[in-house]
Amino acid sequence: MFVVYSPEGQSLAASAQNLSMLRVDPSKRINKIEDAWLDELQPDEKSLLGQSSKALQAYQQNRKESQHRVVVKVLEIMSEPLISIHQQADLAQAFARMAEMKINYLPVLDDRRLIGLLTREQLLRKVLIGDDGALEFGGEKPVFEIMQRQVVTTDLSTDIRQVAQVFTQYNLGALVIMDAFKHPVGIVTRGDLIKRLAKEPPLELYV
């Protein structure tokens, strides 16, 4: 489940993939089969046994493959503890925290409530950085003024293949991870996802 948070609170809950409704055609009338015709049928027992054996082998192979399917939850790859910033902090504080922790995303909190997300890209549009890498201008503005106000989140049990789909579909760089009490506890970025895809055992992207 993916949920969008904003300063106004939870605003949307949706699955990663919308499933279209399945339509089943009305059943057609079937003419009665005469008993005499059924009596003429002579099943080939050897053929039936051969088909049964093939079906059993296919089932066993499919079961074997499904047992080796790797499922990875966001809990396993997210960065924690969550590094965040308060909405009343200024951009200078946000810049310093990003530089110190070497991160590109800062969830914005009001106490423990998630209300926004600040990215390095958003921050750099509003400040001036000197040749020495220090912030020279614009650092006095509050984070609340420039943060992204809608944040897509998910829970700890989400399959990372669904996360990859959402990243691609909505051009996101990060997802904030929420616990059962709707508190932010971690973050997953595109970099985290790529690192896991490069590890063993290999992850099936299409299942």
Side-chain angles (χ1 to χ4, degrees), residues 83-192:
I83 301 170
S84 61
I85 196 162
H86 192 270
Q87 61 170 333
Q88 296 300 335
D90 58 34
L91 297 187
Q93 292 171 303
F95 178 79
R97 184 162 301 178
M98 285 184 175
E100 178 186 0
M101 306 305 297
K102 296 181 173 59
I103 56 176
N104 296 316
Y105 301 91
L106 272 177
V108 182
L109 305 184
D110 178 9
D111 293 328
R112 296 189 64 186
R113 185 169 68 95
L114 177 68
I115 62 168
L117 181 69
L118 180 67
T119 71
R120 178 180 291 273
E121 182 180 359
Q122 291 167 329
L123 190 152
L124 292 179
R125 289 175 183 170
K126 301 295 182 180
V127 299
L128 179 65
I129 307 299
D131 294 337
D132 59 353
L135 191 153
E136 293 186 352
F137 177 78
E140 70 284 353
K141 294 181 180 179
V143 166
F144 185 83
E145 287 188 6
I146 72 165
M147 70 180 186
Q148 177 182 322
R149 292 178 174 269
Q150 289 190 323
V151 188
V152 181
T153 72
T154 192
D155 56 56
L156 295 164
S157 63
T158 302
D159 189 327
I160 66 172
R161 285 169 291 199
Q162 293 177 297
V163 171
Q165 179 184 355
V166 170
F167 276 167
T168 302
Q169 185 174 351
Y170 297 101
N171 193 29
L172 300 179
L175 277 178
V176 179
I177 313 303
M178 311 293 282
D179 65 13
F181 302 100
K182 308 302 180 185
H183 295 148
V185 292
I187 192 168
V188 169
T189 67
R190 283 179 177 266
D192 296 325

Side-chain angles (χ1 to χ4, degrees), residues 17-46:
Q17 185 176 13
N18 294 324
L19 299 177
S20 59
M21 295 298 293
L22 297 178
R23 294 184 177 180
V24 180
D25 293 333
S27 58
K28 296 180 180 180
R29 182 178 179 181
I30 301 176
N31 294 328
K32 181 180 179 181
I33 299 176
E34 299 296 335
D35 293 339
W37 183 80
L38 289 174
D39 292 339
E40 294 177 0
L41 293 178
Q42 299 292 335
D44 186 342
E45 294 184 1
K46 292 184 178 180

Side-chain angles (χ1 to χ4, degrees), residues 26 41 52 63 67-68 70 110 113 157 182-183 199 206:
L41 293 178
S52 177
R63 183 178 179 185
Q67 289 175 342
H68 288 83
V70 179
D110 178 9
R113 185 169 68 95
S157 63
K182 308 302 180 185
H183 295 148
K199 289 183 179 179
Y206 302 97

